[in-house]
């Protein structure tokens, strides 16, 4: 059964993915590295992880999977 993540957490992970991809294209962009660090801290510090659901590797992997699927769906729809 897939976990249900808060929309703001999924959105932060989607932004992290887009920022990471942009950084891969332009690796020496300080503003992108800072954005990636900010998003990483927002994701790691999100209250969802303290709500008894734990910080398991499986949960973090599922969050990334769901965020990537949402990105791909949006790309196909555009």
């Amino acid at each position: 059964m897939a976990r249900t993540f808060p929309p703001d957490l999924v959105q932060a992970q989607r932004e992290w993915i887009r920022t990471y991809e942009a950084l891969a294209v332009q690796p020496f962009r300080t503003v992108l590295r800072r954005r990636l660090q900010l998003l990483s801290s927002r994701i790691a510090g999100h209250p969802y992880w303290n709500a008894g659901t734990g910080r398991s590797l499986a949960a973090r992997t599922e969050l990334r999977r769901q965020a990537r699927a949402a990105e791909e769906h949006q790309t196909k729809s555009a």
Side-chain angles (χ1 to χ4, degrees):
M1 184 171 122
R3 293 177 184 247
T4 302
F5 294 100
D8 63 323
L9 181 56
V10 176
Q11 183 60 36
Q13 183 65 50
R14 290 177 71 183
E15 290 176 30
W16 189 96
I17 290 167
R18 286 192 297 267
T19 303
Y20 187 86
E21 290 172 350
L23 189 57
V25 174
Q26 299 177 346
F28 300 107
R29 296 291 311 262
T30 301
V31 69
L32 293 175
R33 287 196 315 271
R34 287 183 181 155
R35 177 82 175 140
L36 200 59
Q37 289 174 330
L38 174 68
L39 290 166
S40 293
S41 66
R42 282 187 187 164
I43 292 167
H46 194 279
Y48 172 83
W49 304 119
N50 297 327
T53 54
R55 294 178 182 259
S56 71
L57 178 59
R60 293 191 315 263
T61 301
E62 179 62 16
L63 173 62
R64 286 191 298 271
R65 188 198 65 75
Q66 287 183 23
R68 235 180 240 296
E71 281 296 299
E72 290 172 4
H73 181 266
Q74 181 178 353
T75 302
K76 289 179 184 177
S77 299

